[in-house]
Amino acid sequence: MEDSILVTGGAGFIGSNFILQWMASEHARILNLDKLTYAGNLNNLRAVEADPRYRFEQGDIVDRDFLRTLLRREHPRAIVHFAAESHVDRSIHGPDDFVRTNVNGTFSLLEEARAYWSALPEPERVSFRFLHVSTDEVYGSLGPDDAAFSENTPYAPNSPYSASKAASDHLVRAYHHTYGLPVLTTNCSNNYGPHQFPEKLIPLMILNACAGKALPVYGDGKNVRDWLYVEDHCRAIRTVLSLGRVGETYNIGGRSEKKNLEIVGAICGLLDELRPNDPAVPHRQLLTFVKDRAGHDRRYAMDARKIERELNWRPLETFESGIQKTVRWYLEHEDWVRDVTSGSYRQWIAKHYATER
């Protein structure tokens, strides 16, 4: 089998960081399959677009004929499946796309991967892997004193987004247990870092603060998330792909539980130092509480001891080091920001964050 892998959703935030890291660290070729929805951005991959080991193909994972042709032509030794609709707010206002991509798309990919894998010669069939990238949100919400999510935590998704990801996780599990497809699943905590579309909390706060705009925080701002720097997550995925036990799930966390207010405070503190001439300094004066999100989970926390123990992976970044790198990246890449913050993006932000308490 030619040494190549297929990455779905590789123009998105985590997928593009994964490809950049892979190209710098591994020798296998990459085919990046992405539909290029609003959050898919090929500018994320300019650094590797001329590399002969990298190729991009635009397409939809729901299209089984397209997938079948692609797999036969490219002959990958692994599929790393990032492609997903991933923003909770968007899923609340428009769940159709989430079911279509996350459930139906994963089903189509599994069906075509199964047919492709079944036809491989024995040595190639044994080494083939299907790695499904998922989220901690499938486990539901934790109380302040509850133990962190483990791989054995029962699923209890609370949003259309997390329900669609839970469904895809179950399909992946079923294809292993029913058909023997050699799958791996990773469930990660909240990612942050370069190239994240600015609808998410951290880039939204950075960009609004720099522009002197309100910093909209849902509810009382005390919702807790475990924050994982995206490059640590990508290293974890590469580790699971290489060393993970077939059929297993691995939780990936950053050991950085923080309240949303703490996140905003850290960003404001860094910007006070780095941009003392912004329209509003101290930046924290821009903090604005807005009506809470429907069904907003109170706390997520990840027990990542399994991947640490079995595969010897640990996050390299603390939250303090990761957030500093992230803030500096956004300040140094104004062209990227300008390209992605289009008129439609501004309208979306106005729709979701305009209601003050």
Side-chain angles (χ1 to χ4, degrees):
M1 186 182 293
E2 186 178 3
D3 199 11
S4 68
I5 69 169
L6 170 63
V7 173
T8 71
F13 165 47
I14 304 174
S16 62
N17 276 283
F18 176 82
I19 289 174
L20 293 173
Q21 189 181 97
W22 181 279
M23 297 295 289
S25 308
E26 310 276 355
H27 66 274
R29 293 172 52 247
I30 279 188
L31 174 66
N32 173 17
L33 168 61
D34 200 294
K35 188 180 176 183
L36 293 183
T37 57
Y38 74 96
N41 185 354
L42 290 179
N43 287 340
N44 297 350
L45 294 159
R46 278 182 176 168
V48 299
E49 64 184 6
D51 192 310
R53 295 179 300 131
Y54 168 79
R55 197 162 69 77
F56 170 72
E57 182 105 23
Q58 186 170 359
D60 190 341
I61 60 170
V62 175
D63 185 344
R64 289 182 55 180
D65 291 338
F66 171 77
L67 290 174
R68 188 177 309 126
T69 300
L70 201 64
L71 288 170
R72 288 175 178 170
R73 187 183 76 214
E74 297 298 324
H75 213 68
R77 65 169 167 88
I79 297 172
V80 183
H81 177 36
F82 291 97
E85 296 286 347
S86 67
H87 195 243
V88 174
D89 289 344
R90 287 183 186 268
S91 82
I92 292 169
H93 291 274
D96 300 44
D97 287 343
F98 288 74
V99 173
R100 182 184 185 278
T101 298
N102 300 357
V103 183
N104 297 341
T106 299
F107 166 71
S108 296
L109 192 61
L110 284 165
E111 273 288 273
E112 293 309 318
R114 177 169 72 96
Y116 166 75
W117 164 75
S118 297
L120 289 173
E122 181 63 22
E124 296 179 6
R125 194 160 65 246
V126 170
S127 62
F128 180 79
R129 295 292 183 269
F130 183 108
L131 193 155
H132 173 60
V133 181
S134 191
T135 172
D136 56 0
E137 298 195 33
V138 298
Y139 299 123
S141 185
L142 292 171
D145 300 318
D146 290 343
F149 299 133
S150 76
E151 289 82 359
N152 297 317
T153 299
Y155 276 32
N158 290 321
S159 71
Y161 161 61
S162 56
S164 69
K165 288 299 288 185
S168 67
D169 290 10
H170 292 322
L171 283 170
V172 171
R173 174 186 167 88
Y175 270 65
H176 173 64
H177 285 275
T178 301
Y179 305 113
L181 186 69
V183 306
L184 300 154
T185 297
T186 58
N187 293 81
C188 68
S189 60
N190 277 39
N191 277 227
Y192 69 100
H195 299 119
Q196 188 170 29
F197 193 77
E199 66 189 357
K200 298 295 179 80
L201 177 69
I202 287 177
L204 178 67
M205 295 299 137
I206 295 169
L207 301 181
N208 276 18
C210 290
K213 296 179 181 178
L215 305 181
V217 175
Y218 282 131
D220 61 5
K222 295 180 180 178
N223 297 75
V224 175
R225 300 292 183 262
D226 175 15
W227 292 92
L228 173 66
Y229 190 63
V230 65
E231 290 188 12
D232 280 332
H233 183 201
C234 294
R235 278 195 310 105
I237 293 169
R238 287 171 46 224
T239 301
V240 171
L241 184 62
S242 175
L243 303 174
R245 288 185 290 134
V246 167
E248 293 292 314
T249 294
Y250 295 91
N251 281 357
I252 306 168
R255 292 187 175 271
S256 295
E257 280 191 63
K258 303 283 183 186
K259 295 183 178 72
N260 286 346
L261 280 176
E262 293 180 74
I263 302 299
V264 177
I267 292 168
C268 289
L270 285 168
L271 291 176
D272 288 347
E273 296 175 20
L274 296 170
R275 294 176 63 100
N277 298 318
D278 275 351
V281 179
H283 294 83
R284 195 180 180 94
Q285 67 185 278
L286 298 167
L287 182 67
T288 305
F289 291 99
V290 299
K291 183 180 177 181
D292 206 358
R293 166 198 288 162
H296 197 180
D297 290 338
R298 193 62 171 172
R299 173 177 168 245
Y300 303 146
M302 288 295 255
D303 180 347
R305 287 179 294 179
K306 178 178 177 179
I307 190 174
E308 293 173 357
R309 180 181 65 250
E310 293 189 9
L311 307 184
N312 199 31
W313 172 90
R314 282 172 181 75
L316 298 179
E317 301 292 344
T318 63
F319 179 76
E320 291 69 29
S321 65
I323 195 64
Q324 186 167 103
K325 288 183 177 181
T326 302
V327 168
R328 289 184 180 277
W329 187 88
Y330 279 92
L331 298 184
E332 292 166 3
H333 290 82
E334 292 181 355
D335 289 349
W336 184 92
V337 171
R338 192 161 47 247
D339 286 345
V340 301
T341 50
S342 63
S344 60
Y345 163 78
R346 290 193 293 273
Q347 292 164 16
W348 190 89
I349 291 295
K351 176 181 178 181
H352 286 81
Y353 292 109
T355 308
E356 294 188 19
R357 289 197 309 171

